[in-house]
Each structure stands twice: as structure tokens, then as C-alpha cells.
Amino acid sequence: MAKKGKTIVIPETGIPRDQVLKSMLSSHEHDANWKGGKVFAYVYNAGEEHYEFLKKAHGIFMSDNALNPMAFPSLKNFEAETISMVADMLGGDRKVFGNITTCGTESNMMAVKTYREWARATKPHIKAPEMVVSTSVHPSIDKGAHYFDVKLVKVPWKENFDCDVKGMKDAITENTIAMVGSACEYPRGMVDPITELGQVALDHDIGLHVDGCLGGFMLPWVKKLGYPVPDFDLNVPGTTSMSADLHKYGFAAKGASAIVFKNEKLWKHMFFATVDWPGGFYGSPTMAGTRGGGSIAAAWAALKAIGQDGYMALAKQTMDVAKKLQAGINAMPELKVLGNPAMTVFSFSFTDRDPMAIYAVGDVMEKKGWIMDRLQHPPALHLIVGPLQGHVVDQYLVDLRESVDIVTKDPALVKTGQAAMYGMLATFPDRANAKSLVLDFLADQYKV
Ligand SMILES: *Cc1c(COP(=O)(O)O)cnc(C)c1O
């Protein structure tokens, strides 16, 4: 096992806890400083008071284990009530059931697994199950298909990034078990036409999972605020399951997402149980065995404390920030917001120059202290806006203007920094080789 430096071992004698904490706090200072507002991804911040509150709720239940609902009835109730609140928010009725998972990826993977089990039970003639999705679907669905051996059939979007419903319909075969629509999709924050997809699902007697990891806790409020949001939730005929991340716009602590199913029968296909283990009967609803109580408790606490009025207020605040940023970006003649973003997630690129040049803009922005998120196919910069970022909008737009000017004057910048790496990877003709480069990079990250 090649290591970069010397082996790190457990200290021979324990280090005093205050010293350990001190060293951790000092290294934390060098991580992405999201409290300053310059991070437009990964972190969903609803303010200091809420943050301290989540820490307390999390701390009380940190060592409790939701693997055993009998031993920890508080956690069981938190979970069941959280799912009920989420189902209600997403247009579900009392027949909707689900569970809390550790992340959106796990929620989406459990959906893939559930449709596979459902098809095994109800369509035994299907030996090689397939799911039909749009190319914009989140990689967690790919991951689920990979883990659970389901073939993913991807349908490219149409002009202006619209989901191709007819293309998806035409891609259905006798082996298709389900489709996935996104509300919203990650790259451009667009909502797929769930009503049309639901009709296709009904016509073919297949499942329709709505990936609401990103939008599940934002779109309901944005719609109530009067913004044009197409129907996207469990109320739409044909939808059979939906995911929504508590740890994104639910403003819970990290490690919590919800997956809900239209009825109990479908939900139970998610479960695993064995009755022959010498350790006793063993059953578990999701992927994890031991389930940390902290994130479940904090999720319940977040919903209770924020309330519908709080989520509405946060959604309004966040939409205001997003709209200001979009207007500022569209006002720059060189730049345009891509597609038709429905909520607080969007991306932008150049209107007409070398598309790779947007990566160079990203590099210059990072030199100015912004943490930038990059897209490919086509190249773009991506933002997930938070409610408290109103105070950085003006600075962002000033820095962006300057960065565009710098890249305009010096087009060679596209051959340097992350722009060069992204450009290379995005256009690498040999995709298998590109993948192996990414795997090597990943492995390297976790070596000390
Ligand atoms: C974030 C996200 C996921 C996956 O969620 P994780 O919590 O990162 O595992 C799935 N789908 C969409 C659209 C997302 O934005």
C-alpha cells in the first residue's frame, strides 16, 4: 500500500480532549468558509441560532441507534412523524410511507432497489430490468443501477435542456420497470414534466420515481409563493415514489434524507429481512445497519422548529437572492443563465465564445475566494443559492464582471489551472480512460 507520508497510528497515549478539539478547530479554519457566504454548494445554512439548535438536538440522540425501533421509541416516532410531515408537504395522503436514509444518494438507490424487487414480485418475466431516465438525472440513480444491476437507459434532453418525454416513452421496452423524473434536476434547476411522465408510467404500468432530493424542500414553497412551478409531487397521477433531502433545503443536520412511496405494498419492497441468523431475526428498512440517532432527531427538530411559515420565509429569501444573481448574470452581455431554472439552483456560461473559457472564469473567481462548482456537457458554472447569501450578491457580480474581463483579455488562461484539467477531462475522447483518471484521483484523496 503506497502512502504519501509516514504512517499515522493511534497515539500510544491518548491526547487530552481539549487539545484534540483545539487542533480540529484550527484545521477547520482552512476548510471552505461557508459562514462567510462564498460557498454556493454543499452547505445549506439557515443561520447561527438554527445551527446551534441542530447541534443540541443532534447531540442528545447522537449515540442512540435507530436500527432497533423497540429500544429507541423516540427515534421511531421522530422518523415516522418526519416521514408524515414530508409526505404531506409533497402532496401525499395517509397511504404514503417511507423512511429516513443517510443521504439523497441512499434514498434514490433505495428507490431503484424497490422497483427491482417490485418487478421481481409482480413481473417475473423480466430477467434484465431497465429504467428509463433523462440524461440530466443525478449520478445517485446511476449508482443505484450499478449496485442493484438495473440497466439505465438515458434519453438526451431536447433543445433548451427540456426533458424529452416522447423520447423516454419510446425508450420503454418490455423490460422497463420504472422511470425517473427530477424536481428539480441538479445541473440547471429545471423541473421535468412530471404530469406527462406520470401518464406514460400509468399507460405502461411502471413506476415513476421523482428525484426531489434538491427541490423537495424548496419547490412546494416556491410554488405557494406564486412562481410558475409545474406539478411535480405525489399528487400527480402516476408518481409512485419521491425523495427529498432533509439535509439540503430541509435545513437539517447532515446525514438525513427522506424516501417515500405511494403505498405500503411498494414501500415494503425496500425492506430487507432475514429470519435465520443465529443473532436473531434481523430486519432493516434502508441500506444502513446501525442508524445514528443524531441526524434523525435533528431532522425532526428542524421541521418542528422551522414550521411551514419558516420554510416559506426561507424560500422567499432564497428566491430573492437567486433572482438577483440571475438578473445580474443575464445583464452581462457575454453571459447567460442556462435553460429554465424553476427555483434556487441554476448555471450559466458564455453566450458565444470558446465554451471552455467559462472554466477559466471559475478559476479567477476562486482566486477571489469563491468556491466554484463546474458542470460539463456543456461547460458551465453552477450555483446552489442559500437564504443568507443576500449580502454577497453585489460582491459576487462585481467579481464575476472582473473575472470575465480578465479572461477576455487573456484567453490563454483556459490552458491553465482547473480550466485545463476540466477541459481535458470533458473532451477526452476515451471515456474509459477518463474514468480511470477520476478513480486514481479519488484514491489519491484518501491517502495520508
Ligand atoms: C444532492 C442530490 C442528490 C444526492 O444527494 P446526496 O445527499 O448528495 O447523496 C440526488 N439528486 C439530486 C438532484 C441532488 O441534487
Side-chain angles (χ1 to χ4, degrees):
M1 188 170 55
K3 294 270 190 174
K4 285 199 266 188
K6 67 176 183 350
T7 305
I8 305 291
V9 298
I10 298 172
E12 259 174 56
T13 50
I15 302 166
R17 293 191 165 82
D18 59 341
Q19 269 185 47
V20 174
L21 286 175
K22 215 167 131 194
S23 84
M24 293 171 86
L25 283 171
S26 97
S27 83
H28 195 214
E29 279 173 23
H30 303 290
D31 295 338
N33 172 20
W34 50 267
K35 283 188 182 170
K38 286 191 148 187
V39 182
F40 283 95
Y42 310 113
V43 181
Y44 300 76
N45 178 15
E48 200 64 32
E49 190 192 346
H50 185 65
Y51 180 69
E52 293 302 325
F53 164 76
L54 286 182
K55 276 207 285 201
K56 282 188 196 144
H58 195 282
I60 301 168
F61 290 92
M62 176 182 80
S63 296
D64 293 7
N65 188 346
L67 176 58
N68 186 339
M70 272 88 74
F72 299 100
S74 305
L75 290 180
K76 180 190 69 175
N77 291 337
F78 291 153
E79 183 167 5
E81 289 188 20
T82 299
I83 291 299
S84 176
M85 291 187 270
V86 170
D88 176 68
M89 174 184 72
L90 298 176
D93 57 22
R94 299 276 300 158
K95 296 197 190 87
V96 170
F97 293 101
N99 285 93
I100 295 182
T101 65
T102 57
C103 64
T105 300
E106 189 185 351
S107 289
N108 282 344
M109 290 176 73
M110 292 326 289
V112 176
K113 189 262 184 194
T114 300
Y115 291 112
R116 191 194 68 177
E117 300 305 307
W118 168 76
R120 280 181 180 173
T122 62
K123 300 175 179 237
H125 60 278
I126 296 182
K127 302 295 177 218
E130 299 175 6
M131 286 176 68
V132 175
V133 303
S134 167
T135 314
S136 64
V137 84
H138 188 271
S140 49
I141 296 291
D142 294 68
K143 196 172 172 180
H146 177 71
Y147 275 43
F148 298 121
D149 203 17
V150 171
K151 182 179 164 197
L152 216 53
V153 180
K154 289 196 182 176
V155 178
W157 55 70
K158 297 188 294 187
E159 235 175 290
N160 205 30
F161 307 104
D162 284 326
C163 166
D164 183 0
V165 178
K166 180 168 183 305
M168 284 177 71
K169 183 177 165 205
D170 292 346
I172 292 173
T173 70
E174 57 192 20
N175 289 326
T176 305
I177 59 172
M179 293 186 298
V180 180
S182 303
C184 60
E185 44 99 93
Y186 177 92
R188 289 152 298 261
M190 286 164 67
V191 177
D192 287 342
I194 303 300
T195 304
E196 282 103 309
L197 291 176
Q199 193 52 55
V200 176
L202 286 173
D203 291 345
H204 292 81
D205 183 30
I206 57 176
L208 173 60
H209 174 67
V210 179
D211 178 4
C213 283
L214 198 47
F217 272 93
M218 180 55 74
L219 289 169
W221 318 111
V222 170
K223 197 173 170 85
K224 278 195 184 133
L225 284 167
Y227 287 99
V229 175
D231 291 341
F232 65 90
D233 63 13
L234 294 168
N235 218 356
V236 176
T239 56
T240 45
S241 61
M242 189 161 177
S243 50
D245 284 353
L246 293 148
H247 64 193
K248 285 181 183 159
Y249 286 117
F251 300 105
K254 285 281 186 299
S257 168
I259 173 75
V260 293
F261 296 92
K262 201 80 171 246
N263 59 62
E264 180 165 353
K265 226 171 165 181
L266 188 57
W267 174 46
K268 280 188 180 157
H269 287 297
M270 179 170 76
F271 297 174
F272 170 81
T274 176
V275 290
D276 301 323
W277 184 41
F281 291 174
Y282 183 102
S284 132
T286 58
M287 200 103 90
T290 290
R291 294 195 295 147
S295 46
I296 294 172
W300 182 87
L303 295 182
K304 286 283 185 183
I306 294 175
Q308 297 192 28
D309 61 338
Y311 281 111
M312 276 294 271
L314 286 162
K316 175 162 189 335
Q317 235 178 316
T318 319
M319 277 304 274
D320 287 349
V321 181
K323 289 287 169 196
K324 257 191 223 163
L325 281 165
Q326 289 170 4
I329 290 164
N330 278 330
M332 298 183 202
E334 302 95 330
L335 298 180
K336 62 164 187 288
V337 169
L338 299 184
N340 187 17
M343 46 174 258
T344 52
V345 176
F346 63 97
S347 58
F348 63 94
S349 69
F350 280 113
T351 44
D352 58 3
R353 65 189 66 174
D354 171 8
M356 295 295 166
I358 201 69
Y359 292 142
V361 172
D363 286 354
V364 181
M365 287 292 279
E366 288 210 328
K367 289 211 182 83
K368 294 176 183 287
W370 301 94
I371 303 283
M372 302 301 287
D373 188 25
R374 296 156 177 86
L375 304 182
Q376 60 169 347
H377 309 315
L381 298 176
H382 182 257
L383 292 118
I384 297 179
V385 178
L388 305 180
Q389 289 178 306
H391 69 288
V392 299
V393 170
D394 292 340
Q395 191 59 46
Y396 187 92
L397 293 171
V398 167
D399 286 353
L400 184 60
R401 178 69 262 160
E402 270 176 34
S403 303
V404 168
D405 290 339
I406 289 169
V407 172
T408 306
K409 283 201 198 88
D410 188 1
L413 282 174
V414 77
K415 303 266 182 265
T416 65
Q418 284 212 44
M421 190 192 77
Y422 256 82
M424 195 267 289
L425 276 181
T427 55
F428 219 58
D430 179 353
R431 300 318 286 167
N433 214 340
K435 187 166 167 179
S436 113
L437 285 175
V438 169
L439 295 181
D440 288 347
F441 176 81
L442 192 62
D444 216 35
Q445 295 297 306
Y446 298 106
K447 295 174 184 168
V448 289

